[in-house]
Amino acid sequence: MSVDRLIEAIEAKKNPTVLGLDPYPDHIPPEILDKHAAKHGQTLKTLQGAYKEYIFALIDALHDLVPAVKLQSACYESLGPGGVEVLRQGVLRARKKGLYVIVDAKRGDIGSTSKAYSSAYLGRVELGDTLIPVFDADGLTVNPYLGSDNLDPFLKDCKMYDKMIFVLCKTSNRSSSEVQELMAGDRPLYRVIAEQVSRAGRQLAGKYGYLNTAIVAGATQPSAIRQLRKDHPELFFLVPGYGAQGGKAEDIAAAFDKQGRGAVVNNSRGICCAWQKDDSVPFTEAARKAAIGMRGDLQKAIR
């Protein structure tokens, strides 16, 4: 099962970190930007080439330390078709390096459109009797707020192709409470969403007791993390918000079970932009130092 592969990758590297590859122009070291600008000037091609070089270098430098990467699709889509191709190539590069790959696209829509999204990121596109992979990620973030039929195509592809979805539940942004904590009967909405995710994934359980349907629970919401873990020992958590957004390792510890399983913690700027705080070494070395520091921080908190 996909969730088992993620758990085993985490245990092999003793590190529940997912490297967030969310590039913006000001995240790219100047020497990379300058090199591509010399070829293409002030054009999208400069950013497309710089993003590709940057994320490939980070994947190559950190694949022995981290078990997984998460690529934020918006960062690549903002550069047009060439940027989307960089996203696709980034997925391929990470998978070749043995990393578990999550695309953070937060997709979700009515039936046929959800099917198209799922075919693109998790499943296959049909042409006659041929099934063609497109992005072929291991996992995808999904927005549940169109209802259960929105999730059905993703669940089908999870089962058919052994993939995983990470459903938005209690997110790390400050205003998440405006919607996610609205009362739905006797519970806040985020707890209802978690129950629906659990119910939808009961046929997709792995050998460690976790489902291939996971939830997103932000590090800046420690009380919600504790409640969700109490409610759902069977749900795996993707935890954003560590580091730059203010989430601390001790806030995240409740996401893990007694065996230290059950969650993966995202960090993007804290690792990828570590060079901005330490320009005495190449940016990949600064990223490695930051990743090693985060690993130690999480290990200490989870024990």
Side-chain angles (χ1 to χ4, degrees):
M1 297 290 284
S2 186
V3 65
D4 295 336
R5 289 190 284 109
L6 178 53
I7 289 170
E8 288 165 2
I10 291 168
E11 293 188 346
K13 295 176 182 176
K14 297 180 175 59
N15 187 4
T17 298
V18 56
L19 173 65
L21 295 173
D22 309 347
Y24 292 89
D26 61 352
H27 293 181
I28 310 298
E31 64 270 19
I32 295 178
L33 274 177
D34 291 347
K35 180 174 71 174
H36 290 275
K39 294 180 182 178
H40 303 295
Q42 301 298 305
T43 67
L44 287 177
K45 283 188 175 181
T46 288
L47 289 174
Q48 291 160 6
Y51 278 24
K52 180 179 176 180
E53 181 174 344
Y54 177 65
I55 68 167
F56 274 34
L58 289 167
I59 290 167
D60 292 352
L62 277 81
H63 75 274
D64 63 321
L65 287 176
V66 300
V69 295
K70 181 174 72 67
L71 296 97
Q72 170 51 257
S73 65
C75 297
Y76 305 90
E77 292 171 24
S78 70
L79 303 187
V84 175
E85 177 59 17
V86 173
L87 170 62
R88 190 186 72 85
Q89 290 182 24
V91 171
L92 291 174
R93 182 74 162 209
R95 293 196 69 180
K96 285 181 180 178
K97 292 292 184 179
L99 294 166
Y100 191 96
V101 182
I102 302 166
V103 173
D104 189 358
K106 299 179 179 68
R107 298 305 193 221
D109 211 315
I110 60 173
S112 59
T113 313
S114 266
K115 181 180 178 182
Y117 280 138
S118 187
S119 295
Y121 289 101
L122 301 177
R124 304 289 186 271
V125 172
E126 298 180 18
L127 178 60
D129 59 358
T130 302
L131 298 173
I132 306 167
V134 185
F135 290 95
D136 201 21
D138 295 297
L140 176 71
T141 57
V142 174
N143 189 327
Y145 288 98
L146 276 80
S148 58
D149 61 340
N150 159 40
L151 296 181
D152 288 343
F154 300 103
L155 294 168
K156 182 178 178 181
D157 282 336
C158 284
K159 185 174 182 179
M160 184 173 296
Y161 299 106
D162 189 23
K163 303 292 187 176
M164 195 167 175
I165 55 172
F166 299 83
V167 181
L168 301 182
C169 183
K170 190 66 178 80
T171 55
S172 58
N173 56 304
R174 285 194 298 268
S175 62
S176 67
S177 61
E178 295 174 1
V179 173
Q180 295 163 15
E181 293 183 16
L182 291 174
M183 296 304 290
D186 60 349
R187 295 178 295 171
L189 182 58
Y190 76 86
R191 292 180 65 188
V192 176
I193 292 295
E195 175 60 34
Q196 291 176 344
V197 173
S198 176
R199 188 164 56 246
R202 285 175 185 166
Q203 303 304 312
L204 297 169
K207 63 184 179 182
Y208 300 104
Y210 288 97
L211 309 181
N212 270 2
T213 52
I215 57 172
V216 177
T220 56
Q221 311 290 336
S223 61
I225 286 177
R226 288 191 293 272
Q227 182 65 63
L228 288 165
R229 178 50 73 216
K230 179 181 178 181
D231 290 346
H232 296 290
E234 76 286 357
L235 289 180
F236 197 89
F237 292 8
L238 169 60
V239 184
Y242 172 92
Q245 291 185 53
K248 298 178 176 60
E250 53 267 30
D251 297 330
I252 295 164
F256 294 85
D257 63 23
K258 293 179 180 178
Q259 288 74 43
R261 296 173 180 150
V264 67
V265 183
N266 181 75
N267 192 354
S268 177
R269 281 172 287 174
I271 296 175
C272 297
C273 296
W275 64 270
Q276 294 176 341
K277 296 181 179 179
D278 182 6
D279 60 3
S280 65
V281 296
F283 77 95
T284 50
E285 287 189 31
R288 282 187 65 87
K289 287 170 63 176
I292 291 168
M294 178 179 174
R295 180 181 63 185
D297 194 29
L298 292 176
Q299 288 175 342
K300 182 178 179 181
I302 294 166
R303 289 196 187 103

